Amino acid sequence: MSLAVLDALDSARTQWYHFTAIVIAGMGFFTDAYDLFCISTVSKLLGRLYYFDPSSKKPGKLPLNVNNFVIGVALVGTLCGQLFFGWLGDKVGRKKVYGFTLVLMVFCALCSGLSFGSTAHSVMTTLCFFRFWLGFGIGGDYPLSATIMSEYANKRTRGAFIAAVFAMQGVGIVFAGMVSMLVSKMFLSYTGKTPTYNENRVLSTQPEADFMWRIVLMIGAVPAALTYYWRMKMPETGRYTALIEGNAKQAASDMARVLDIEIQAEQEKLSQFKASNEYSLTSNEFIQRHGKHLIGTMSTWFLLDIAFYSQNLTQKDIFPAIGLVPAEADMDALSEVYKTSKAMFVIALFGTFPGYWFTVYFIEKIGRFKIQLVGFLMMSVFMLVIGIKYNYLKHENHMLFALLYGLTFFFANFGPNSTTFVLPAELFPTRVRSTCHALSAAAGKAGAMVGAFGIQSYTVNGEEGKIRTAMKILAVTNMLGFFCTFLVTETKGRSLEEISGEDDRENELTPTPSARVTVPRNGSHVESM
């Protein structure tokens, strides 16, 4: 059974509206990544400012539990937001929820920079409070952006379009390092030469640094605010309007306007289509049809994020340990932010960023399954080498360490970090697509919390033995992800309804030869398979 509005979406030529949707949805991910990762560039500065001990030979440092909460509380909020907004997106509509998540992100990014209090405890408490709700808003962007893009795209380029939305995460990570680097450099120019901690423990932390970290966090509100209007202008997806609301006429009207073609409403046929796909997420039918896939998407995203977030959030601790950044006592506060951000920026620009766009280019050529397998395998190999040869790399060959470390980022992004986002948006039926993506993404954030609260405790003090152990643990984690990938299937080149079995073609690799003719407004005809 096939519907004209779905055929039109699957066979539509790629046009400007698709790229507009990528930018609108992608800017949400740009903001998400910036907000989640910019905290790593300033967390050491928070320790210098609020936990200074003049009797210590080392600069102030966030206590381990405080450090873990400052870094990880947004991840907790993200997990909660993914589950709540993912479920809500299936119940009330993708568009209705989409704008609220953006407003929440803007408000909480601003409030994070305005964290108030007269003591270290009060400042950290208010910072963690607002970052939790910032993460809550960010969480909604994951299932909604993926679902909206998958339901708008045609089947030939769907994977590339969803991957392009997610690739904006890479841009956000690059900007997190770049903005922190530029803002700290501006403050350094203003404050002039400042003694290092070894030279003067009190004067090494500039008072102006308290403004610097707040500005970095607040800048995260800007890109989200800029896209709010355009996000609200997007119509509800045709698949939601037709297959969940059951309004064939509205779905045909909305998508005809977007695609600039005439589409037949087919209300009676839609009713039959809906009646055959009414099973719920907890039903035996769903478990039989999609249970293995859901376990696959959840397990692979969980295992991937243990490694991915451990890499990103622990860079600030690993860089000084291997000598890429000077020892903390040999720098003043703002110089430490500048040099740490610069190292993170270089790794992100040459390691993290290219991987995302390799996925965009190759995902429809190679397929999701192979990219994910190779990515997990290569990450495991490089992390195992770093873990085994850590002492040599630290003392004898910093450049080789940087290369291997950068390659783990490259194959994370030209690999499972991208594909674990794409697959849940394609594998599941329309009525539970947002919820299933949310469950998969939430499993990922559970893995990220393992990285933030667990793996980070191995690296925070820069001890060689513990860093080696952490890298070996991550190598094993990635190998488990390699094997769990076999629980999912390839989705390349098939319609969403064919993949999910909603049109009773679950086991076919290609559509049936029957074609439907739609008539564009210019009078020519387009065949939809």
Side-chain angles (χ1 to χ4, degrees):
M1 184 186 300
S2 183
L3 297 172
V5 66
L6 304 184
D7 285 344
L9 286 165
D10 282 335
S11 60
R13 61 183 176 83
T14 300
Q15 52 194 283
W16 182 248
Y17 190 83
H18 289 109
F19 295 106
T20 303
I22 290 172
V23 172
I24 295 170
M27 285 306 291
F29 266 91
F30 172 93
T31 306
D32 298 348
Y34 180 92
D35 288 333
L36 287 176
F37 293 113
C38 68
I39 193 67
S40 294
T41 67
V42 299
S43 60
K44 285 196 167 186
L45 176 60
L46 295 175
R48 285 187 184 245
L49 285 167
Y50 296 106
Y51 292 88
F52 171 63
D53 180 1
S55 64
S56 175
K57 294 182 179 179
K58 292 185 177 181
K61 180 177 288 189
L62 294 176
L64 182 59
N65 63 327
V66 176
N67 180 76
N68 287 346
F69 271 100
V70 169
I71 296 293
V73 71
L75 300 176
V76 178
T78 301
L79 186 154
C80 297
Q82 285 166 337
L83 294 174
F84 176 72
F85 288 119
W87 168 79
L88 203 61
D90 281 334
K91 294 300 179 184
V92 304
R94 288 60 159 130
K95 179 186 175 180
K96 290 179 182 177
V97 183
Y98 212 26
F100 181 74
T101 62
L102 207 63
V103 171
L104 189 60
M105 287 159 58
V106 171
F107 177 76
C108 291
L110 292 173
C111 290
S112 295
L114 297 174
S115 297
F116 51 84
S118 57
T119 65
H121 180 266
S122 59
V123 173
M124 293 302 110
T125 299
T126 53
L127 175 61
C128 288
F129 174 81
F130 288 122
R131 283 192 62 77
F132 171 84
W133 290 107
L134 172 65
F136 195 78
I138 288 172
D141 240 34
Y142 276 75
L144 293 172
S145 291
T147 301
I148 286 171
M149 198 66 247
S150 71
E151 292 180 354
Y152 267 125
N154 62 58
K155 63 183 179 182
R156 298 184 308 278
T157 59
R158 184 182 60 241
F161 285 174
I162 302 171
V165 169
F166 193 63
M168 292 301 289
Q169 183 185 75
V171 182
I173 294 172
V174 169
F175 266 75
M178 186 181 75
V179 169
S180 298
M181 183 174 64
L182 293 176
V183 174
S184 59
K185 187 66 174 177
M186 291 170 61
F187 273 80
L188 279 168
S189 299
Y190 174 77
T191 59
K193 184 172 176 57
T194 303
T196 66
Y197 187 83
N198 281 333
E199 293 170 344
N200 190 311
R201 295 179 182 180
V202 175
L203 296 180
S204 66
T205 301
Q206 302 92 331
E208 294 85 355
D210 193 45
F211 294 102
M212 181 265 159
W213 71 267
R214 297 174 184 274
I215 291 172
V216 168
L217 297 189
M218 292 171 74
I219 286 174
V222 176
L226 291 176
T227 57
Y228 177 79
Y229 171 78
W230 297 107
R231 185 170 285 199
M232 291 297 93
K233 291 281 287 183
M234 294 178 72
E236 182 58 84
T237 71
R239 283 182 163 91
Y240 183 89
T241 304
L243 302 184
I244 298 181
E245 292 185 341
N247 191 336
K249 183 177 180 180
Q250 187 63 51
S253 174
D254 288 344
M255 294 304 100
R257 187 170 66 254
V258 168
L259 301 177
D260 196 28
I261 59 175
E262 296 289 348
I263 301 176
Q264 187 178 352
E266 300 182 313
Q267 184 65 49
E268 184 177 343
K269 194 173 184 180
L270 173 61
S271 299
Q272 298 173 6
F273 193 103
K274 276 175 55 63
S276 63
N277 291 285
E278 290 288 346
Y279 58 89
S280 67
L281 184 67
T282 56
S283 66
N284 287 331
E285 186 171 358
F286 176 86
I287 294 171
Q288 291 172 3
R289 289 191 179 197
H290 307 291
K292 185 179 77 169
H293 293 159
L294 185 58
I295 293 171
T297 57
M298 291 179 68
S299 61
T300 52
W301 206 334
F302 172 79
L303 294 164
L304 176 275
D305 271 9
I306 293 176
F308 183 73
Y309 280 84
S310 294
Q311 286 175 286
N312 278 286
L313 298 177
T314 61
Q315 287 181 82
K316 67 185 189 305
D317 304 312
I318 294 175
F319 289 158
I322 64 167
L324 288 179
V325 172
E328 54 193 11
D330 294 328
M331 295 181 286
D332 62 83
L334 287 172
S335 292
E336 183 177 33
V337 175
Y338 173 75
K339 291 178 181 179
T340 301
S341 300
K342 184 178 179 181
M344 291 175 68
F345 170 74
V346 171
I347 291 289
L349 185 63
F350 294 104
T352 304
F353 181 76
Y356 286 98
W357 296 101
F358 266 66
T359 300
V360 173
Y361 183 77
F362 285 107
I363 194 167
E364 298 296 356
K365 296 177 172 64
I366 300 174
R368 294 79 158 139
F369 184 78
K370 290 180 181 178
I371 289 175
Q372 185 162 307
L373 277 180
V374 172
F376 267 129
L377 179 62
M378 299 308 293
M379 288 172 69
S380 184
V381 169
F382 290 128
M383 287 182 171
L384 184 61
V385 171
I386 292 173
I388 293 173
K389 305 297 292 183
Y390 181 77
N391 288 337
Y392 164 75
L393 295 169
K394 174 180 178 179
H395 299 291
E396 304 292 337
N397 202 329
H398 294 165
M399 293 306 296
L400 180 57
F401 181 96
L403 175 63
L404 292 172
Y405 199 60
L407 284 170
T408 64
F409 280 99
F410 176 80
F411 280 103
N413 298 308
F414 182 39
N417 191 42
S418 296
T419 54
T420 53
F421 179 80
V422 175
L423 283 167
E426 299 180 313
L427 284 168
F428 303 106
T430 304
R431 73 171 42 256
V432 292
R433 182 171 292 127
S434 180
T435 303
C436 289
H437 195 284
L439 289 169
S440 304
K445 283 303 167 285
M449 285 187 279
V450 172
F453 295 111
I455 302 299
Q456 189 169 219
S457 64
Y458 283 86
T459 65
V460 70
N461 293 318
E463 298 175 24
E464 290 186 17
K466 288 188 175 182
I467 292 177
R468 290 180 62 185
T469 300
M471 299 308 292
K472 291 176 183 177
I473 291 172
L474 295 179
V476 173
T477 300
N478 290 319
M479 206 64 221
L480 291 173
F482 174 88
F483 290 111
C484 287
T485 297
F486 289 96
L487 294 171
V488 300
T489 187
E490 183 57 70
T491 56
K492 176 168 68 80
R494 292 188 283 166
S495 73
L496 293 176
E497 289 68 39
E498 180 186 354
I499 295 164
S500 66
E502 289 173 276
D503 63 356
D504 299 324
R505 290 185 292 165
E506 185 176 14
N507 296 318
E508 296 180 26
L509 293 178
T510 56
T512 59
S514 61
R516 178 176 305 278
V517 177
T518 58
V519 182
R521 290 171 186 164
N522 60 13
S524 61
H525 76 276
V526 178
E527 290 190 355
S528 306
M529 300 303 295

